[in-house]
Amino acid sequence: MNNQRQINKVLAAAVILCVLAVAWFYGGNHHSNKSSAPYHKPASVMKAGASESSSLRAHSQAQEKAVGSQAHSDNPAKIESVSAARFVLADHEKTVDQYQTDPVTPGKPEPVEPQNAQVTEKKCTCTLSVECTTILRNMKDFNQDKLEVLPQDGVIFPATKVTFYAGESVFNVLQREMKKAGIQMEFEATPIYNSNYIEGINNIYEFDCGELSGWMYRVNGWFPNYGCSRYELKDGDTVEWVYTCDLGRDIGRDYAANGGGKR
Amino acid sequence: MKDAFSNFHPLVNFTWFAAVLLFSMCFMHPVCLGVSLGCAIAYSVYLKGKKAIRFNLIYLLPLLIITALLNPAFNHEGATILTYLYGGNPLTLESIIYGIAAAIMLISVICLFSCYNVVMTSDKFVYLFGRVIPSLSLVLSMTLRFVPRFKAQMGLVANAQRGVGRDVASGSPMQRARHGIRILSVMVTWALENAIETADSMKSRGYGLPGRTAFSIYRFDKRDSYALLFILSCTGYISAGALSGGLAYRYYPTLKGAGLQPYSLSLYICYLALCVAPVVINLMEDRKWKAMQSGI
C-alpha cells in the first residue's frame, strides 16, 4: 500500500515536471520567434510576445514609448540589449513629452493637445480616405467571421474632399465623416497618450488580421508619432486611414524615415 | 414535492449536472440559451417551489438586466448602428443582443447551481469522490456546506446573546454594533474551531485511508444504467455536433449561425431532451404516484 502511494507521488511529480517543461519550451519558442522578426531598430525596442498588442497600440498612435516598456521584457536572450536600453531609457525620459511622445521630425507639425485646441468657424477642406487593402494580401490571417464586412477592393471610404473647421483634429474629422457615412467606428480614450485610439472601423478591428494588425493614420504621406486626437489639420491636408497587418511595415511606415527610430 | 431525480444514483445526478452545466456555459446559440434557461428555471421551481420563484425574481432578474446593459455600454462592435452614445461611440444592435445572451447564460448557470446544491448533497459528493480525491472532496463538501451551516449557527448565537440581554435589535446604534460584532467574533471562533474539529474527527475515523470501506445506501440498478446511457449518448451526440459546428453562432459583426437545418434541429431537440430530463422524470413519477393512489 505504502509503496503504491510513493509511486503515485513520484508519478504526479513527473507529470507536473513534464507539463512545466512543455510550457517552458513552448513559451521559449514563442519569444524567440518574435524577437527574430526583422526589426530595424535595436531589436529589443519592440516588446516581445503577448505584449505586442499594446506595442501596436503605441505605434498606431505612433507613441514611441516602447523603450520604456521593454524593461518588462522577459526574454532571457535579450538581457544584454535590455540593459543597454536602460541607458537609452535614461536619455529617453528627458526627450519625451508628458504624453510619452518623442521629438517630432523637424518640419512636421507638433502635436496640439485636444483640450487646448481652438476650433473656429472657418471652414477648410481635407481629403479623407479609409482603406484596408493590406488584408487582401493577408487573407489567411483574417478573422473569417469578418469576411462579410470586408469590401471587395479593400476601400471602406474612398478618397473624398471633406469639410472641417479650422482647429479640428484628425480624430474629429474621422468621427464626423464615419458617422455621416453610416460606417461603424469604435475608439477608446487613452489618457496616457492624451488621445483617442481607433480600435475598429467598419467592424474591422485591431488584431482581426493577425496579432500585428490595426489601424494607423497618415497625413500628407507621413505617419505622425502621436495620436490622432492631437494632430491638428490644416487646409488641404490629405488624411489616410490604413489598416496594417504588420505594425506598419507593410504600409510603408519606415521608422528611420519617420523619426521614430532616432534617439 | 419529492424530487424523483434525486433518488437516482449519485453518478447519474453528477453526470447530468456536469454535462448540462458545461453545455450551458459553452453554447452561445440562442436556442441553446433558451433551452438552458427554461429548463434551469423549471427545475429550480420544481425543486424549491415559491422560494425559487422569489429568488429568480429578486436576484436573477436584476442581474440579467444589469449584465445585459453593461455590454453595449463598453462594446460598440456590430454592423447595425441604432444610435450614437453620449461618448461618441455607436450603440449597435449586435452588442445589445450579445449582452442579453451573455446575461441569460450567466443566470441559467447560477440557477443550475442552485439546483445542484439541492440534488447533489454532500454525502453524494463524498460518496462519488471520497475514494478518488479524499481530502479534496471533504474540503469541497465542507465548503459547500459552510454557508448554510454558518447561517444556522448564527441564529443560535444571536438567540443566546439575546437571552443574556445583548440584543442586536435594541439599544443605541453603538451598543447594537458592539453586540453585532460580538456575535461575529463568536462565529469566527466557532467556524475555525469547527473546521479543525471536523478534520480531526474525520482523521480519527480513518477517513481516506486505504482499505477503509464506507457504508452507502446507493445502488446502481437498471433504471440508473438506462438514465446514464441516455445522458451519455445525448452528451456524445451534442458534443460531436458542437465540434462540427452544428451549434455555431456568432454575434459580431452580424448575427449569424446555425438555423433550422435538420442537423441543427436534431441537436436542439437532443439538447432539450437532455436538459428537461429531470423535470420529465419527476412529472412522470408524480403521475404514476397519483395513478396508484387513485387505484387504491
Side-chain angles (χ1 to χ4, degrees):
Chain A
M1 283 299 182
N2 252 347
N3 241 347
Q4 185 64 38
R5 285 193 136 192
Q6 295 289 341
I7 290 170
N8 278 348
K9 271 184 192 167
V10 171
L11 270 180
V15 167
I16 291 172
L17 272 180
C18 281
V19 170
L20 282 178
V22 167
W24 171 263
F25 280 115
Y26 180 76
N29 283 342
H30 195 58
H31 282 292
S32 63
N33 281 345
K34 280 285 162 288
S35 52
S36 65
Y39 296 134
H40 304 300
K41 299 199 275 180
S44 58
V45 166
M46 296 286 180
K47 285 182 287 174
S51 37
E52 283 293 5
S53 56
S54 40
S55 173
L56 173 69
R57 193 165 279 233
H59 288 287
S60 173
Q61 300 187 327
Q63 308 287 350
E64 298 293 332
K65 55 117 201 188
V67 165
S69 45
Q70 45 117 5
H72 305 302
S73 167
D74 51 348
N75 189 342
K78 289 291 165 216
I79 286 172
E80 271 179 38
S81 49
V82 167
S83 57
R86 289 239 169 83
F87 296 107
V88 181
L89 182 64
D91 272 356
H92 181 64
E93 268 172 0
K94 287 176 209 149
T95 54
V96 296
D97 74 358
Q98 69 180 114
Y99 298 119
Q100 323 286 316
T101 304
D102 278 313
V104 176
T105 315
K108 299 292 182 189
E110 292 289 328
V112 176
E113 305 313 331
Q115 60 271 27
N116 305 332
Q118 306 247 314
V119 179
T120 58
E121 295 281 296
K122 192 184 153 218
K123 280 188 180 176
C124 305
T125 54
C126 67
T127 312
L128 177 72
S129 66
V130 180
E131 54 104 349
C132 54
T133 40
T134 48
I135 294 178
L136 304 176
R137 295 195 289 274
N138 293 286
M139 283 308 277
K140 62 174 185 345
D141 294 330
F142 191 55
N143 180 352
Q144 297 300 305
D145 284 346
K146 302 284 179 88
L147 274 179
E148 69 181 61
V149 292
L150 178 70
Q152 288 286 315
D153 53 356
V155 178
I156 290 168
F157 188 84
T160 314
K161 266 215 151 62
V162 297
T163 310
F164 68 97
Y165 298 96
E168 283 191 316
S169 65
V170 170
F171 173 75
N172 296 138
V173 172
L174 177 75
Q175 191 185 24
R176 182 186 306 122
E177 292 306 320
M178 292 302 106
K179 204 167 167 175
K180 231 189 258 174
I183 298 172
Q184 187 266 2
M185 190 271 280
E186 179 171 353
F187 62 92
E188 187 190 27
T190 37
I192 183 172
Y193 304 132
N194 196 29
S195 173
N196 287 321
Y197 171 69
I198 307 298
E199 293 177 308
I201 304 178
N202 195 32
N203 278 301
I204 296 171
Y205 273 67
E206 48 177 343
F207 316 131
D208 269 350
C209 194
E211 56 185 1
L212 305 179
S213 62
W215 285 100
M216 296 179 82
Y217 76 106
R218 180 161 56 188
V219 183
N220 302 330
W222 177 62
F223 286 98
N225 60 330
Y226 43 87
C228 61
S229 299
R230 297 170 77 200
Y231 193 104
E232 190 183 302
L233 280 173
K234 296 194 176 48
D235 199 13
D237 276 350
T238 305
V239 183
E240 294 161 274
W241 281 92
V242 277
Y243 194 84
T244 175
C245 301
D246 192 19
L247 274 182
R249 285 181 288 265
D250 55 347
I251 49 174
R253 175 175 159 80
D254 180 14
Y255 287 100
N258 274 279
K262 288 180 237 155
R263 309 184 201 285
Chain B
M1 246 179 281
K2 191 83 188 87
D3 179 39
F5 184 64
S6 303
N7 293 337
F8 278 66
H9 192 266
L11 186 63
V12 178
N13 293 342
F14 186 80
T15 318
W16 185 82
F17 274 108
V20 171
L21 275 169
L22 192 74
F23 286 156
S24 45
M25 278 183 225
C26 293
F27 295 158
M28 282 302 272
H29 195 288
V31 174
C32 296
L33 289 175
V35 168
S36 326
L37 181 68
C39 294
I41 287 180
Y43 194 32
S44 72
V45 169
Y46 187 92
L47 283 175
K48 295 183 288 182
K50 266 189 193 142
K51 227 175 106 191
I53 300 176
R54 213 173 53 207
F55 175 78
N56 290 347
L57 284 180
I58 295 180
Y59 294 104
L60 294 190
L61 195 66
L63 187 66
L64 178 105
I65 293 167
I66 291 170
T67 330
L69 287 181
L70 269 182
N71 189 54
F74 291 100
N75 196 326
H76 312 287
E77 200 169 347
T80 323
I81 298 172
L82 298 178
T83 176
Y84 280 83
L85 297 173
Y86 176 71
N89 271 318
L91 174 71
T92 63
L93 179 69
E94 285 79 6
S95 65
I96 294 176
I97 304 230
Y98 185 81
I100 294 172
I104 286 181
M105 183 172 85
L106 181 70
I107 65 164
S108 51
V109 168
I110 292 176
C111 206
L112 275 171
F113 265 111
S114 76
C115 299
Y116 176 91
N117 276 335
V118 176
V119 175
M120 285 298 289
T121 47
S122 54
D123 57 328
K124 287 186 184 177
F125 190 80
V126 171
Y127 167 75
L128 279 181
F129 293 102
R131 287 301 188 78
V132 199
I133 36 170
S135 46
L136 189 64
S137 75
L138 183 63
V139 167
L140 270 175
S141 66
M142 274 169 72
T143 320
L144 291 175
R145 227 164 71 88
F146 178 72
V147 174
R149 232 188 115 133
F150 195 83
K151 251 161 86 181
Q153 186 72 14
M154 188 116 101
L156 285 184
V157 174
N159 276 338
Q161 292 286 319
R162 188 181 296 152
V164 293
R166 298 196 190 115
D167 191 0
V168 269
S170 62
S172 69
M174 196 59 202
Q175 274 175 323
R176 282 158 68 171
R178 196 168 288 159
H179 296 159
I181 286 172
R182 180 177 290 276
I183 291 179
L184 206 67
S185 123
V186 171
M187 288 310 298
V188 169
T189 322
W190 170 82
L192 292 174
E193 200 181 320
N194 184 58
I196 293 170
E197 245 171 37
T198 313
D200 274 350
S201 90
M202 292 307 272
K203 202 173 176 185
S204 61
R205 283 166 171 79
Y207 178 78
L209 283 182
R212 176 179 176 276
T213 60
F215 171 75
S216 61
I217 205 143
Y218 307 114
R219 227 159 23 98
F220 196 87
D221 53 25
K222 225 175 202 176
R223 182 188 66 162
D224 295 312
S225 54
Y226 290 149
L228 192 62
L229 193 71
F230 171 74
I231 293 171
L232 287 181
S233 51
C234 278
T235 310
Y237 185 59
I238 295 169
S239 314
L243 287 178
S244 70
L247 290 173
Y249 202 83
R250 65 140 213 256
Y251 288 84
Y252 300 119
T254 48
L255 305 168
K256 200 173 168 191
L260 292 176
Q261 304 92 323
Y263 180 51
S264 296
L265 209 60
S266 74
L267 284 169
Y268 306 151
I269 291 170
C270 189
Y271 188 53
L272 177 68
L274 176 67
C275 289
V276 88
V279 178
V280 169
I281 290 171
N282 285 330
L283 292 179
M284 270 161 55
E285 291 286 322
D286 285 349
R287 264 179 81 182
K288 212 188 274 174
W289 175 244
K290 287 220 178 83
M292 281 160 88
Q293 263 185 327
S294 57
I296 296 170

